[in-house]
Amino acid sequence: GDAAAGKTKAVICAACHGPAGVAAIPTYPNIAGQNEQYIKLAIKAYKNGERKGGQAAIMTGIAGSLSDADIDNLAAYYSGL
Amino acid sequence: GDAAAGKTKAVICAACHGPAGVAAIPTYPNIAGQNEQYIKLAIKAYKNGERKGGQAAIMTGIAGSLSDADIDNLAAYYSGL
């Protein structure tokens, strides 16, 4: 993925995951330095409705708005932090 | 939670999440330094069957074997790494 494009897209993530991938809210995960492949799998799990429960509702909505390219770029960006 | 008790329990996590919470396998998440509250929520989401899909099957089984105390202790341990 393209980390620079990911950084631009990441504005929608920063509210919960923090400006640099360290979550502002303790019930949300830090994603800075997370494994690139895992980030993709986790976002796609939300996008595919494979994750339910209170926490999952927000991510399912956001993931639904992301293209595969967005997901690849976000994974490249956050895994590099 | 009790991090020392968590460290003992963590032997069952190390195979995938690495000896110190940095995943040996790129499709699995790093959990060292992850938010304590998020770790609990994620394990409980697996335990409650709220996470489906290929990746989730293994964790659902393992989470099912964990008591609430185990979960609290593991969260204390990994968040402190």
Side-chain angles (χ1 to χ4, degrees), chain A residues 11-39:
Chain A
V11 293
I12 63 171
C13 316
C16 297
H17 292 292
V22 176
I25 300 158
T27 53
Y28 297 147
N30 298 323
I31 52 177
Q34 185 54 271
N35 281 325
E36 188 166 5
Q37 287 188 27
Y38 176 73
I39 294 173

Side-chain angles (χ1 to χ4, degrees), chain A residues 17-76:
Chain A
H17 292 292
V22 176
I25 300 158
T27 53
Y28 297 147
N30 298 323
I31 52 177
Q34 185 54 271
N35 281 325
E36 188 166 5
Q37 287 188 27
Y38 176 73
I39 294 173
K40 292 183 198 177
L41 288 169
I43 297 176
K44 287 177 182 172
Y46 284 113
K47 188 172 183 181
N48 300 333
E50 291 173 337
R51 295 191 172 188
K52 303 276 190 289
Q55 290 266 99
I58 302 168
M59 271 304 291
T60 301
I62 289 174
S65 73
L66 300 174
S67 68
D68 283 346
D70 288 331
I71 293 170
D72 289 350
N73 296 339
L74 286 166

Side-chain angles (χ1 to χ4, degrees), chain B residues 18-33:
Chain B
V22 177
I25 299 158
T27 53
Y28 297 147
N30 299 322
I31 51 177

Side-chain angles (χ1 to χ4, degrees), chain B residues 15-61:
Chain B
C16 296
H17 292 293
V22 177
I25 299 158
T27 53
Y28 297 147
N30 299 322
I31 51 177
Q34 185 53 272
N35 280 327
E36 188 167 7
Q37 287 188 28
Y38 176 73
I39 294 173
K40 292 182 197 176
L41 288 169
I43 297 175
K44 287 176 182 172
Y46 284 112
K47 188 172 181 179
N48 300 334
E50 290 173 338
R51 292 189 172 189
K52 303 276 189 289
Q55 290 264 99
I58 302 168
M59 271 303 292
T60 301

